[in-house]
Amino acid sequence: MTKFTTRSLCTFLLLVWTSGVADPGTVFAPDSAGGAAGKSRTIIVGCKHFTEGYILGEIIAQILEDRGYHVERKFGLGGTLICFDALRNGDIDIYPEYSGTITQAILKLDDTTSYPTVQQMLIRDFGLELLGPFGFNNTYAIAVTPSLAERLQLNTVSDLARFPKLRLGFSYEFLNRHDGWPGLARTYRLPGRPVGIEHGLAYQALRENDLDVTDVYTTDGDIDKYGLVLLKDDKEYFPRYLGAPLLRRGLSEGVKRVLGELAGKISEKEMQSLNASVLIENKTFREVAQEFLRAKDLLLSVRTSSEESKWTTMLHRTATHIKLTVTALIAAMAIAIPLGVLVYRLRTIAKPVIYFTGLLQTIPSIALLAFMIPLLGIGVTPAIVALFLYALLPILRNTSSALFSIDPILKKISVGMGLTTWQQLRHIEIPLAAPTILAGIKTAAVINVGTATLAAFIGAGGLGEPIVTGLALNDTSLILEGAVPAALLAIVTEFIFESIEKFLIPKHLLQQRVS
């Protein structure tokens, strides 16, 4: 009960700021089978941050929109566990998943478990439903360049054991999954210490000879793009990964029927071709999904799926980014400045409080966001809480340090003048500390502008969205669409705080601080 209440309260308090006033009929309408109320409820479709995930997510979203359902997209979520937890928590309703991933990474079973058994276990243990597979098997494979395969006569994964000095680079998920590198190394007795690399960047690293070996998905469009050689899995280590919609139990039968139309419709060659359309032909995910659905006669309406203009999208992302940053900063100021004063007045708690906030700063950003999911789900709320925690230390430390460094003689004079503790703080100590406190707020603001780009991994939007998508596509221009505005926003933040400083802080205090 406590978890539900906390999460609901946080979501409600941020609703007006982040999304405007929601239509109660849309948010809370029951998902009845085939009825108008079921179609009025917004269905949230998620996906992981790789090319195929985006395409499948878009196919699911567009076929539902075609049948009259309202759809919200939460694409580019950071990996299997984030998507799965988001689905369990009700933050998303559907996302494309793979049977092998569910078997190995979620259920911790062996790869001989049948598809119907996996479906039954998901319903029993998690209340989730795995629909019929799309029709393709996208399993893992180990890839090398043609030149390396020819030079070393590499044909099978077993051949890698003869070359312990090969440079291995695998995706982070593959490195840590039970069905990834740990099991592969044991099965084939492979030496070497692989490094972690973003999946989309591994192809470029192979092409530029920065890596020798990496993991790929067998339906990746990059395989043909770079002409890679897939080593034969001669010990049949990798299980089958049948792609299928995974959804929370309780969605209407109408939704399931619509998604059921996708079963068996995508072959492995077709999936690889869809991926290649994005990677090689530079088509958008929306275009590729729409062309596929039309080719399969799965779109009933004649309307096309329209996209916002690039500038409109950028403005929307920037506004979201600013909301995340400003909300977290205001909350951090409201807590950290009074806490800094308290630390100044109660010296015994100074070190524990500052050490604790410093410890929060050492937690990697993406890890902190992931920790938030079981408590607050995905989206805006956990992103703001994480940014709030990161903003505490600069403001708290600057506030307490500024107060501690005030000239003791001035303090004695204020006591001699008969000022109360509150009057000393208000008329002397806070004004003298103001330049340093403002500098801490500025530092926190700039840090938050950069850190907020990672919020895209948990579906909070902002300028991190094109960065996440660009990493998945290995598209530098797309990465820059997010990175450049974020950098400019940080510079603008600096100028804004300099203007505030000149307006609020007396000149003699500014000169004193600079000298």
Side-chain angles (χ1 to χ4, degrees), residues 24 64 71 76 92 129 144 173 191 201 216 261 272 275 278 304 313 354 363 393 421 462 498 504:
L64 288 172
V71 175
I92 59 176
E129 296 188 56
V144 296
E173 188 166 345
L201 299 178
V216 299
E261 296 179 38
Q272 192 174 52
N275 288 325
V278 173
T304 59
T313 302
I354 292 177
I363 302 174
L393 181 63
T421 300
E498 286 182 10
L504 293 181

Side-chain angles (χ1 to χ4, degrees), residues 121-138:
M121 293 185 70
L122 283 171
I123 292 175
R124 183 193 68 199
D125 297 342
F126 302 104
L128 304 177
E129 296 188 56
L130 182 67
L131 301 185
F134 294 117
F136 64 90
N137 173 33
N138 180 12

Side-chain angles (χ1 to χ4, degrees), residues 6 13 23 51 110 135 160 189 208 231 264 314 336 349 356 395 458 462 466 470 498:
T6 302
L13 291 175
D23 178 3
T51 304
D110 59 65
L160 294 176
R189 298 183 182 277
E208 296 178 356
L231 302 182
M314 184 179 294
I349 69 170
F356 177 73
I395 302 174
I458 59 169
E498 286 182 10

Side-chain angles (χ1 to χ4, degrees), residues 101 138-142 171 173-174 177 179-180 199 215-218 233 238-239 241:
T101 298
N138 180 12
T139 189
Y140 276 116
I142 302 302
S171 63
E173 188 166 345
F174 183 83
R177 283 172 53 143
D179 56 337
H199 181 75
D215 63 297
V216 299
Y217 307 124
T218 52
D233 182 13
F238 294 118
Y241 291 78

Side-chain angles (χ1 to χ4, degrees), residues 36-152:
K39 290 193 175 184
S40 68
R41 183 194 178 281
T42 298
I43 298 175
I44 304 175
V45 179
C47 78
K48 304 177 195 178
H49 67 293
F50 69 108
T51 304
E52 187 166 296
Y54 283 101
I55 294 172
L56 293 174
E58 191 61 46
I59 287 174
I60 290 172
Q62 286 194 29
I63 195 171
L64 288 172
E65 287 175 332
D66 180 73
R67 307 307 160 81
Y69 292 93
H70 301 283
V71 175
E72 179 183 349
R73 292 160 173 80
K74 292 281 185 182
F75 289 175
L77 301 180
T80 297
L81 294 183
I82 289 180
C83 279
F84 190 75
D85 284 345
L87 189 65
R88 290 180 63 191
N89 293 336
D91 295 299
I92 59 176
D93 298 312
I94 309 163
Y95 82 96
E97 189 51 280
Y98 300 86
S99 60
T101 298
I102 295 171
T103 302
Q104 299 284 327
I106 296 172
L107 298 177
K108 311 294 184 185
L109 304 172
D110 59 65
D111 59 356
T112 60
T113 307
S114 68
Y115 196 90
T117 301
V118 171
Q119 289 176 306
Q120 293 170 5
M121 293 185 70
L122 283 171
I123 292 175
R124 183 193 68 199
D125 297 342
F126 302 104
L128 304 177
E129 296 188 56
L130 182 67
L131 301 185
F134 294 117
F136 64 90
N137 173 33
N138 180 12
T139 189
Y140 276 116
I142 302 302
V144 296
T145 60
S147 58
L148 184 69
E150 183 178 357
R151 179 163 57 88
L152 301 181

Side-chain angles (χ1 to χ4, degrees), residues 394-406:
I395 302 174
L396 173 62
R397 184 182 291 276
N398 275 39
T399 300
S400 58
S401 297
L403 292 171
F404 280 129
S405 63
I406 294 174

Side-chain angles (χ1 to χ4, degrees), residues 487-508:
L488 292 175
L489 190 58
I491 294 171
V492 170
T493 301
E494 286 272 2
F495 282 125
I496 289 174
F497 274 94
E498 286 182 10
S499 301
I500 293 174
E501 190 176 61
K502 291 177 182 178
F503 180 75
L504 293 181
I505 308 300
K507 290 185 179 180
H508 65 279

Side-chain angles (χ1 to χ4, degrees), residues 61 164 167 220 227 279 289:
R167 297 166 298 171
D220 278 353
L279 295 166

